[in-house]
């Protein structure tokens, strides 16, 4: 067979052809904190089934009642067990121990890490460099049987929780090793009015994405704003 006889190459996949994720159950670990609660609210308001998790089920249930929109609360293990996609929004200080404790229940799950390792001093916020390279890479190391991605780092908790804000004008940078997993997270981000999920590389590139939050904190303090990001020309 000559080269002219070979089958034509398949058409490149449209990067904006994303899956339908409306039927997925989303768990939010750390869902009683500002970022986790805000994400839970926005996703539930968009029609997603959401379960928030906390170390104490009672705290999660109280936060779920406050959020409304059908959100449920449970302890972290139960929230993880009942969810298809699990967003990790716990404080950096408890990140490693939380994931190590949940390793078995998170096996086979799509995990979305949105934790930003930051320190604070008199000069403001600054990025920390975990031993593994980033919070997302730490999650991947601790959860070898999970499908770990990284996303939702640059969102204002104030805007997320404000019911008067109809849409949030920002892009969400999504990182991961498998295209199918990344596209699920992109599609979840796109469920929230005003947001787009943008592929931003593999997990080895997560550190600079997590670190950029320190710069956004400086922007917000100087300009009294709730800054987000837009990626142009895509």
């Amino acid at each position: 067979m000559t080269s002219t006889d070979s089958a034509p190459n398949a058409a490149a996949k449209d990067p904006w052809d994303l899956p339908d994720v409306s039927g997925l159950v989303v768990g939010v670990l750390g869902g009683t904190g500002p970022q986790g609660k805000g994400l839970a609210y926005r996703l539930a308001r968009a029609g997603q089934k959401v379960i928030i998790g906390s170390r104490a089920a009672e705290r999660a249930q109280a936060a779920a009642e406050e959020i409304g929109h059908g959100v449920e609360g449970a302890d972290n293990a139960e929230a993880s067990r009942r969810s298809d996609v699990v967003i990790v929004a716990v404080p950096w200080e408890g990140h490693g121990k939380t994931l190590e404790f949940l390793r078995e229940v998170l096996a086979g799950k799509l995990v979305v890490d949105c934790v930003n390792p930051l320190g604070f001093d008199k000069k403001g916020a600054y990025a920390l460099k975990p031993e593994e390279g980033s919070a997302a890479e730490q999650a991947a190391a601790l959860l070898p049987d999970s499908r770990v991605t990284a996303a939702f780092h640059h969102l204002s908790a104030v805007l997320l929780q404000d019911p008067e804000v109809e849409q949030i004008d920002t892009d969400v940078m999504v990182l991961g090793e498998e295209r199918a997993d990344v596209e699920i997270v992109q599609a979840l981000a796109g469920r929230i009015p005003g947001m787009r999920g943008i592929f931003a590389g593999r997990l080895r590139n997560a550190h600079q994405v997590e670190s950029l939050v320190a710069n956004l904190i400086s922007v917000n303090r100087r300009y009294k704003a709730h800054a987000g990001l837009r990626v142009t020309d895509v």
Side-chain angles (χ1 to χ4, degrees), residues 119-142:
F120 295 87
D121 60 18
K122 292 186 295 183
K123 295 181 180 180
Y126 60 94
L128 302 175
K129 187 71 176 284
E131 181 179 346
E132 298 84 356
S134 63
E137 288 169 293
Q138 183 183 88
L142 291 172

Side-chain angles (χ1 to χ4, degrees), residues 9-204:
N9 291 331
K13 186 179 186 298
D14 181 353
W16 296 112
D17 180 16
L18 301 175
D20 177 9
V21 295
S22 59
L24 297 180
V25 178
V26 179
V28 183
L29 307 186
T32 59
Q35 186 183 29
K37 186 183 290 186
L39 278 170
Y41 168 64
R42 287 291 160 177
L43 288 168
R45 179 169 159 171
Q48 210 74 36
K49 175 60 184 174
V50 177
I51 305 171
I52 61 174
S54 176
R55 286 179 297 176
E58 296 79 10
R59 287 184 59 204
Q61 290 160 1
E65 290 179 12
E66 182 182 340
I67 295 168
H69 296 277
V71 175
E72 296 183 42
D75 64 43
N76 283 330
E78 181 66 15
S80 299
R81 189 175 296 110
R82 294 177 56 196
S83 300
D84 303 301
V85 179
V86 178
I87 297 174
V88 180
V90 300
W92 167 241
E93 293 74 18
H95 182 263
K97 288 184 178 180
T98 298
L99 296 185
E100 193 170 16
F101 175 73
L102 296 171
R103 178 180 298 175
E104 290 187 11
V105 73
L106 288 173
K109 305 282 186 180
L110 176 53
V111 175
V112 188
D113 200 293
C114 66
V115 175
N116 303 303
L118 296 176
F120 295 87
D121 60 18
K122 292 186 295 183
K123 295 181 180 180
Y126 60 94
L128 302 175
K129 187 71 176 284
E131 181 179 346
E132 298 84 356
S134 63
E137 288 169 293
Q138 183 183 88
L142 291 172
L143 304 173
D145 298 319
S146 301
R147 296 139 52 207
V148 176
T149 61
F152 300 116
H153 301 91
H154 305 139
L155 305 180
S156 163
V158 173
L159 294 183
L160 287 173
Q161 295 184 82
D162 188 345
E164 299 300 315
V165 175
E166 294 295 328
Q167 64 178 43
I168 299 179
D169 182 28
T170 193
D171 286 331
V172 172
M173 301 180 81
V174 185
L175 303 98
E177 300 302 317
E178 299 295 335
R179 181 165 185 163
D181 294 337
V182 168
E183 290 182 345
I184 288 172
V185 182
Q186 287 181 263
L188 280 173
R191 297 268 287 162
I192 300 173
M195 284 191 195
R196 293 188 308 173
I198 303 287
F199 171 64
R202 294 179 179 269
L203 289 185
R204 68 181 183 180

Side-chain angles (χ1 to χ4, degrees), residues 181-227:
D181 294 337
V182 168
E183 290 182 345
I184 288 172
V185 182
Q186 287 181 263
L188 280 173
R191 297 268 287 162
I192 300 173
M195 284 191 195
R196 293 188 308 173
I198 303 287
F199 171 64
R202 294 179 179 269
L203 289 185
R204 68 181 183 180
N205 292 318
H207 172 65
Q208 56 264 38
V209 173
E210 296 169 3
S211 300
L212 189 57
V213 173
N215 302 88
L216 291 178
I217 290 172
S218 297
V219 170
N220 289 337
R221 287 181 173 175
R222 175 63 59 91
Y223 298 101
K224 303 296 187 287
H226 303 294

